[in-house]
Amino acid sequence: MTAEPPTGDGGAGPARGRVGRWRDQAVAFGWLVLVWNLLWGEFTWGNLAAGLLVGGAVLLFFPLPPVTFGGRLRPWALLAFAGAFVVELVVASAHIARIAVQPGCRPRGAILAVRLRVRTDLNLALTAEAVSLVPGTLILEVDREAGVLYVHVLDVRGPQDLVVNRARVLEVERRIVRAVGSDAELRRVRSDAVDKENP
Protein backbone atom coordinates (compact mmCIF):
# COMPACT_ATOMS: atom_id res chain seq x y z
CA MET A 1 0.00 0.00 0.00
CA THR A 2 1.44 3.37 -1.04
CA ALA A 3 0.89 6.56 0.85
CA GLU A 4 -0.64 9.53 -0.93
CA PRO A 5 1.85 12.36 -1.47
CA PRO A 6 1.12 15.52 0.44
CA THR A 7 -0.75 18.16 -1.51
CA GLY A 8 1.55 20.89 -0.24
CA ASP A 9 -1.18 23.39 0.55
CA GLY A 10 -2.32 22.23 3.95
CA GLY A 11 -3.90 25.16 5.67
CA ALA A 12 -3.16 27.46 2.73
CA GLY A 13 -6.85 27.85 1.82
CA PRO A 14 -7.98 29.24 5.20
CA ALA A 15 -4.80 31.34 5.37
CA ARG A 16 -5.51 32.88 1.98
CA GLY A 17 -9.10 33.52 3.11
CA ARG A 18 -7.88 35.37 6.21
CA VAL A 19 -5.43 37.39 4.14
CA GLY A 20 -8.21 38.26 1.70
CA ARG A 21 -10.50 39.42 4.52
CA TRP A 22 -7.74 41.56 6.04
CA ARG A 23 -7.00 43.02 2.63
CA ASP A 24 -10.67 43.85 2.05
CA GLN A 25 -10.87 45.49 5.48
CA ALA A 26 -7.73 47.51 4.71
CA VAL A 27 -9.20 48.71 1.40
CA ALA A 28 -12.48 49.67 3.10
CA PHE A 29 -10.55 51.45 5.87
CA GLY A 30 -8.51 53.41 3.35
CA TRP A 31 -11.60 54.53 1.45
CA LEU A 32 -13.35 55.59 4.66
CA VAL A 33 -10.37 57.74 5.62
CA LEU A 34 -10.21 59.24 2.12
CA VAL A 35 -13.96 60.01 2.03
CA TRP A 36 -13.77 61.60 5.50
CA ASN A 37 -11.05 63.99 4.32
CA LEU A 38 -12.88 64.76 1.07
CA LEU A 39 -16.05 65.58 2.98
CA TRP A 40 -14.11 68.08 5.12
CA GLY A 41 -12.70 69.60 1.95
CA GLU A 42 -9.03 69.62 2.92
CA PHE A 43 -6.25 67.26 3.92
CA THR A 44 -4.79 68.15 7.31
CA TRP A 45 -3.11 66.11 10.03
CA GLY A 46 -6.18 66.67 12.22
CA ASN A 47 -8.57 65.45 9.53
CA LEU A 48 -6.31 62.48 8.84
CA ALA A 49 -6.23 61.51 12.52
CA ALA A 50 -10.00 61.96 12.82
CA GLY A 51 -10.51 59.90 9.66
CA LEU A 52 -8.39 57.08 11.07
CA LEU A 53 -10.44 57.10 14.28
CA VAL A 54 -13.80 57.29 12.51
CA GLY A 55 -12.84 54.63 9.96
CA GLY A 56 -11.64 52.30 12.71
CA ALA A 57 -14.79 52.88 14.76
CA VAL A 58 -17.06 52.22 11.76
CA LEU A 59 -15.32 48.92 10.95
CA LEU A 60 -15.27 47.89 14.62
CA PHE A 61 -18.82 48.77 15.70
CA PHE A 62 -20.60 48.53 12.34
CA PRO A 63 -18.93 45.64 10.54
CA LEU A 64 -19.39 45.89 6.80
CA PRO A 65 -20.60 42.87 4.83
CA PRO A 66 -17.78 41.00 3.13
CA VAL A 67 -16.90 42.77 -0.12
CA THR A 68 -14.48 40.67 -2.10
CA PHE A 69 -11.75 42.40 -4.06
CA GLY A 70 -10.94 40.30 -7.09
CA GLY A 71 -9.20 43.02 -9.07
CA ARG A 72 -5.72 44.44 -9.04
CA LEU A 73 -4.39 47.88 -8.34
CA ARG A 74 -3.04 49.81 -11.34
CA PRO A 75 -1.10 52.82 -10.03
CA TRP A 76 -1.10 54.85 -13.27
CA ALA A 77 -4.81 54.32 -13.84
CA LEU A 78 -5.46 55.23 -10.19
CA LEU A 79 -3.47 58.44 -10.68
CA ALA A 80 -5.45 59.22 -13.83
CA PHE A 81 -8.70 58.64 -11.93
CA ALA A 82 -7.58 61.00 -9.15
CA GLY A 83 -6.57 63.69 -11.65
CA ALA A 84 -9.84 63.46 -13.59
CA PHE A 85 -11.79 63.53 -10.31
CA VAL A 86 -10.06 66.74 -9.19
CA VAL A 87 -10.78 68.37 -12.57
CA GLU A 88 -14.46 67.37 -12.38
CA LEU A 89 -14.62 68.67 -8.81
CA VAL A 90 -13.29 72.10 -9.82
CA VAL A 91 -15.45 72.37 -12.96
CA ALA A 92 -18.63 71.29 -11.15
CA SER A 93 -17.95 73.65 -8.22
CA ALA A 94 -17.52 76.57 -10.63
CA HIS A 95 -20.74 75.60 -12.43
CA ILE A 96 -22.74 75.44 -9.18
CA ALA A 97 -21.25 78.76 -8.06
CA ARG A 98 -22.34 80.38 -11.34
CA ILE A 99 -25.86 79.06 -10.89
CA ALA A 100 -25.96 80.39 -7.32
CA VAL A 101 -25.03 83.96 -8.28
CA GLN A 102 -26.87 84.18 -11.62
CA PRO A 103 -29.95 86.40 -11.17
CA GLY A 104 -33.27 84.71 -11.84
CA CYS A 105 -31.72 81.31 -12.51
CA ARG A 106 -33.99 78.43 -11.51
CA PRO A 107 -32.16 75.23 -12.41
CA ARG A 108 -34.21 72.15 -13.14
CA GLY A 109 -33.24 68.80 -11.71
CA ALA A 110 -33.78 65.27 -12.96
CA ILE A 111 -33.36 61.73 -11.69
CA LEU A 112 -31.48 59.23 -13.83
CA ALA A 113 -31.40 55.46 -13.54
CA VAL A 114 -27.91 54.40 -14.63
CA ARG A 115 -27.21 50.67 -14.99
CA LEU A 116 -23.56 49.92 -14.34
CA ARG A 117 -21.68 47.36 -16.40
CA VAL A 118 -19.80 45.84 -13.46
CA ARG A 119 -22.33 44.97 -10.74
CA THR A 120 -20.08 44.01 -7.86
CA ASP A 121 -20.73 45.58 -4.47
CA LEU A 122 -17.31 47.22 -4.50
CA ASN A 123 -17.83 48.85 -7.89
CA LEU A 124 -21.32 50.04 -6.92
CA ALA A 125 -19.98 51.59 -3.71
CA LEU A 126 -16.94 53.25 -5.27
CA THR A 127 -18.88 54.64 -8.23
CA ALA A 128 -21.67 55.93 -5.99
CA GLU A 129 -19.15 57.64 -3.68
CA ALA A 130 -17.22 59.24 -6.53
CA VAL A 131 -20.39 60.53 -8.21
CA SER A 132 -21.89 61.87 -4.97
CA LEU A 133 -18.75 63.82 -4.07
CA VAL A 134 -19.02 65.94 -7.23
CA PRO A 135 -21.24 69.04 -6.67
CA GLY A 136 -24.50 68.91 -8.62
CA THR A 137 -24.93 65.13 -8.50
CA LEU A 138 -26.29 63.00 -5.68
CA ILE A 139 -27.00 59.29 -5.37
CA LEU A 140 -30.58 58.82 -4.15
CA GLU A 141 -30.76 55.04 -4.21
CA VAL A 142 -28.76 51.98 -5.19
CA ASP A 143 -30.45 48.90 -6.62
CA ARG A 144 -27.91 46.26 -5.65
CA GLU A 145 -29.60 43.37 -7.45
CA ALA A 146 -29.95 45.18 -10.79
CA GLY A 147 -26.74 47.18 -10.47
CA VAL A 148 -28.55 50.49 -10.97
CA LEU A 149 -27.68 53.88 -9.47
CA TYR A 150 -30.46 56.46 -9.17
CA VAL A 151 -28.73 59.81 -9.60
CA HIS A 152 -30.17 63.29 -9.04
CA VAL A 153 -28.54 65.81 -11.38
CA LEU A 154 -28.86 69.59 -11.34
CA ASP A 155 -29.34 72.11 -14.15
CA VAL A 156 -30.92 69.88 -16.77
CA ARG A 157 -32.07 71.91 -19.77
CA GLY A 158 -33.01 69.20 -22.24
CA PRO A 159 -32.74 65.53 -23.23
CA GLN A 160 -29.12 65.99 -24.32
CA ASP A 161 -28.13 66.91 -20.76
CA LEU A 162 -29.57 63.59 -19.58
CA VAL A 163 -27.44 61.74 -22.12
CA VAL A 164 -24.33 63.69 -21.07
CA ASN A 165 -24.89 63.04 -17.35
CA ARG A 166 -25.52 59.33 -17.92
CA ALA A 167 -22.31 59.08 -19.95
CA ARG A 168 -20.45 60.93 -17.19
CA VAL A 169 -21.50 58.37 -14.57
CA LEU A 170 -20.46 55.49 -16.83
CA GLU A 171 -17.13 57.22 -17.47
CA VAL A 172 -16.53 57.41 -13.71
CA GLU A 173 -17.25 53.68 -13.51
CA ARG A 174 -14.81 53.02 -16.37
CA ARG A 175 -12.03 54.95 -14.62
CA ILE A 176 -12.62 53.06 -11.37
CA VAL A 177 -12.57 49.69 -13.12
CA ARG A 178 -9.36 50.68 -14.93
CA ALA A 179 -7.80 51.57 -11.57
CA VAL A 180 -8.88 48.64 -9.38
CA GLY A 181 -10.92 46.22 -11.48
CA SER A 182 -10.06 42.72 -12.62
CA ASP A 183 -8.99 41.96 -16.18
CA ALA A 184 -12.42 40.47 -16.93
CA GLU A 185 -14.19 43.58 -15.62
CA LEU A 186 -11.89 45.80 -17.65
CA ARG A 187 -12.68 43.83 -20.82
CA ARG A 188 -16.39 44.14 -20.08
CA VAL A 189 -16.17 47.92 -19.79
CA ARG A 190 -14.02 48.24 -22.91
CA SER A 191 -16.23 45.99 -25.03
CA ASP A 192 -19.31 47.96 -23.99
CA ALA A 193 -17.61 51.21 -25.02
CA VAL A 194 -16.66 49.74 -28.40
CA ASP A 195 -20.24 48.50 -28.96
CA LYS A 196 -21.59 52.01 -28.35
CA GLU A 197 -19.05 53.57 -30.70
CA ASN A 198 -19.89 51.02 -33.42
CA PRO A 199 -23.62 50.29 -33.21
Side-chain angles (χ1 to χ4, degrees):
M1 183 174 66
T2 59
E4 291 289 335
T7 58
D9 62 345
R16 281 196 296 267
R18 286 193 296 271
V19 171
R21 285 194 295 272
W22 279 106
R23 181 189 62 185
D24 295 342
Q25 291 292 319
V27 170
F29 182 67
W31 275 102
L32 287 170
V33 174
L34 176 63
V35 169
W36 176 267
N37 282 269
L38 290 174
L39 289 174
W40 279 101
E42 59 179 347
F43 289 90
T44 65
W45 288 111
N47 285 342
L48 178 61
L52 293 171
L53 290 174
V54 171
V58 167
L59 293 178
L60 179 63
F61 297 109
F62 306 98
L64 299 175
V67 177
T68 57
F69 178 66
R72 63 188 183 94
L73 189 64
R74 301 177 182 87
W76 288 111
L78 186 61
L79 189 61
F81 166 76
F85 177 77
V86 170
V87 171
E88 283 191 358
L89 204 61
V90 172
V91 171
S93 298
H95 181 66
I96 296 300
R98 182 185 63 79
I99 292 175
V101 300
Q102 186 175 352
C105 180
R106 293 187 175 182
R108 298 175 58 187
I111 298 175
L112 298 175
V114 183
R115 187 182 301 276
L116 300 185
R117 293 155 294 191
V118 178
R119 301 179 188 179
T120 62
D121 288 343
L122 182 62
N123 185 60
L124 284 169
L126 295 183
T127 305
E129 288 287 352
V131 170
S132 289
L133 287 171
V134 175
T137 55
L138 180 67
I139 300 297
L140 301 178
E141 187 178 348
V142 177
D143 187 338
R144 182 182 176 191
E145 296 297 326
V148 176
L149 300 181
Y150 292 90
V151 189
H152 180 272
V153 294
L154 191 64
D155 196 24
V156 176
R157 303 180 184 181
Q160 185 60 30
D161 288 335
L162 299 177
V163 175
V164 169
N165 280 284
R166 187 187 306 276
R168 185 177 297 133
V169 174
L170 292 176
E171 177 63 17
V172 170
E173 180 201 19
R174 186 184 69 83
R175 293 187 197 126
I176 290 174
V177 171
R178 284 186 60 198
V180 298
S182 66
D183 292 336
E185 292 168 348
L186 189 55
R187 284 194 298 270
R188 189 180 313 164
V189 172
R190 284 175 175 169
S191 64
D192 184 76
V194 171
D195 291 342
K196 288 186 177 179
E197 290 175 2
N198 304 294

